[in-house]
Amino acid sequence: MTDMRDILRAASLLAGHIPPTPMWSYPVLNSVAGAELWVKHENTQPIGAFKVRGGITLLAALPDRDRGVVAYSTGNHAQSIAFGARLFGVPCAIVMPENPNPSKVAAVEALGATVVVGGATMVEAAGAARAEADRLGRRLISPADEPEIIAGVGTLYLEILRAQPDLDAIVVPVGSGTGAAAACLVARALAPGCQVIGVQSSAAPAAHDSWRLGEMVLRPMKTRVDGLATGSAYALPQAVMRELLTDFLLVTDDEIRDAQRLLLTHAHTLAEGAGAAALAAVLARREEFAGRKVAIVVSGGNAGPAELAAIFQESGA
Ligand SMILES: *Cc1c(COP(=O)(O)O)cnc(C)c1O
């Protein structure tokens, strides 16, 4: 299990590769929310998302990495692993389900990884990735059941709590749960009074429902929000969250879109849907957060053309 020492070690490693990301509080946003919000800008990372912290940390520590790695993802996890692999000269293949989004293929290929198309769904792509890893004799990387990924992601929460040690809460968007689990570990060590609250889309609640039920369940995945779209729970982050997470909220995809618009106008920043989920949760539970000092993680900014068009369309029409 990842602990604080692993996270501190990851922080020294990452200091040589990526600078800390900014975190600002915006008065207009605060007055809209009725709380003192601190916006952590992980959308300013070189791949546009926090996951790069985990990718670099995993690849740096991987024994026998010269034989190469295989990962499966259409999104930010793919870019994170490709980024880490390029940094350490490790051969990298990314498996994506059929008909992948060309801009996502281009992003991964630009980082020097090979894209392999396999499977009709993400579940089938995982199987194809396992076969590809066996065929090439490479290490298969899990999206979440990797202690080094949680250690790397934990550096984000180290930065938050070092900058603002007296936060009442940190709100974290959840897909697989590596971010929320890492936040729990850091808060326990540095700020035991700080609550860690997860957020998922109500249209893909597998991690949320698994946490509430105390057992791993599958759920339909109907959200349009990429970073939060997982149909199953992951054992490692669930184990940490079960012990340490304060609460887990659900928001709708429309609430997330409204929050994306607010971040654009009031925090001068482009959040992809997942990156706006924390703000959406604070606004949906206004009474609960009123007057409190809360960090919200803008986990990423990789909004594609269709998503951008929808953000700019008038709301409430
Ligand atoms: C992956 C991702 C998430 C979810 O993170 P997990 O660690 O999988 O829970 C949230 N936001 C963005 C932008 C992501 O890429």
Side-chain angles (χ1 to χ4, degrees):
M1 182 64 76
T2 314
D3 67 18
M4 208 44 209
R5 261 170 319 183
D6 302 315
I7 295 170
L8 290 167
R9 201 175 317 117
S12 346
L13 164 77
L14 291 182
H17 299 287
I18 49 176
T21 56
M23 183 167 75
W24 298 110
S25 190
Y26 301 98
V28 181
L29 188 62
N30 291 348
S31 66
V32 170
E36 181 182 340
L37 301 185
W38 286 87
V39 179
K40 181 66 168 166
H41 287 282
E42 286 298 295
N43 52 340
T44 64
Q45 290 285 9
I47 64 157
F50 77 97
K51 282 196 178 68
V52 71
R53 298 172 183 268
I56 294 174
T57 306
L58 175 78
L59 268 298
L62 198 63
D64 201 14
R65 67 186 176 203
D66 292 345
R67 68 195 169 106
V69 295
V70 177
Y72 51 99
S73 159
T74 56
N76 295 334
H77 174 64
Q79 287 194 55
S80 160
I81 297 304
F83 188 99
R86 184 184 64 169
L87 201 57
F88 299 107
V90 175
C92 176
I94 303 292
V95 179
M96 295 187 182
E98 285 151 23
N99 305 313
N101 180 329
S103 64
K104 294 186 168 175
V105 173
V108 166
E109 287 179 344
L111 288 166
T114 309
V115 172
V116 179
V117 174
T121 63
M122 212 51 222
V123 174
E124 287 180 29
R130 184 172 307 279
E132 186 72 0
D134 287 347
R135 190 176 70 81
L136 297 170
R138 293 186 180 178
R139 162 75 145 72
L140 179 68
I141 296 173
S142 162
D145 288 331
E146 300 277 4
E148 294 293 345
I149 287 185
I150 294 182
V153 167
T155 62
L156 156 54
Y157 300 94
L158 206 55
E159 288 174 19
I160 289 179
L161 283 169
R162 280 177 172 165
Q164 297 296 331
D166 60 345
L167 286 170
D168 296 311
I170 303 176
V171 185
V172 184
V174 176
S176 65
T178 66
C184 288
L185 295 170
V186 176
R188 175 173 65 178
L190 299 190
C194 177
Q195 300 183 330
V196 178
I197 298 170
V199 190
Q200 207 169 27
S201 165
S202 53
H208 168 274
D209 289 5
S210 298
W211 181 78
R212 293 237 174 255
L213 294 167
E215 60 176 312
M216 310 254 287
V217 294
L218 302 176
R219 287 292 180 263
M221 198 173 62
K222 302 208 170 96
T223 180
R224 61 177 174 235
V225 178
D226 274 353
L228 308 183
T230 44
S232 60
Y234 289 85
L236 184 57
Q238 282 286 333
V240 177
M241 290 193 289
R242 197 162 296 149
E243 190 191 344
L244 297 172
L245 192 72
T246 307
D247 200 1
F248 206 145
L249 308 176
L250 292 175
V251 292
T252 66
D253 282 12
D254 287 345
E255 287 171 330
I256 288 174
R257 182 133 299 157
D258 289 342
Q260 285 179 286
R261 295 191 176 107
L262 273 179
L263 285 168
L264 209 50
T265 52
H266 294 352
H268 332 295
T269 210
L270 173 64
E272 62 183 281
L279 177 60
V282 168
L283 296 174
R285 299 285 188 108
R286 209 174 284 268
E287 344 58 66
E288 187 178 325
F289 289 101
R292 300 172 76 203
K293 180 169 177 176
V294 181
I296 57 172
V297 180
V298 175
S299 51
N302 290 321
E307 186 173 0
L308 286 172
I311 294 171
F312 285 107
Q313 238 154 39
E314 269 318 306
S315 58

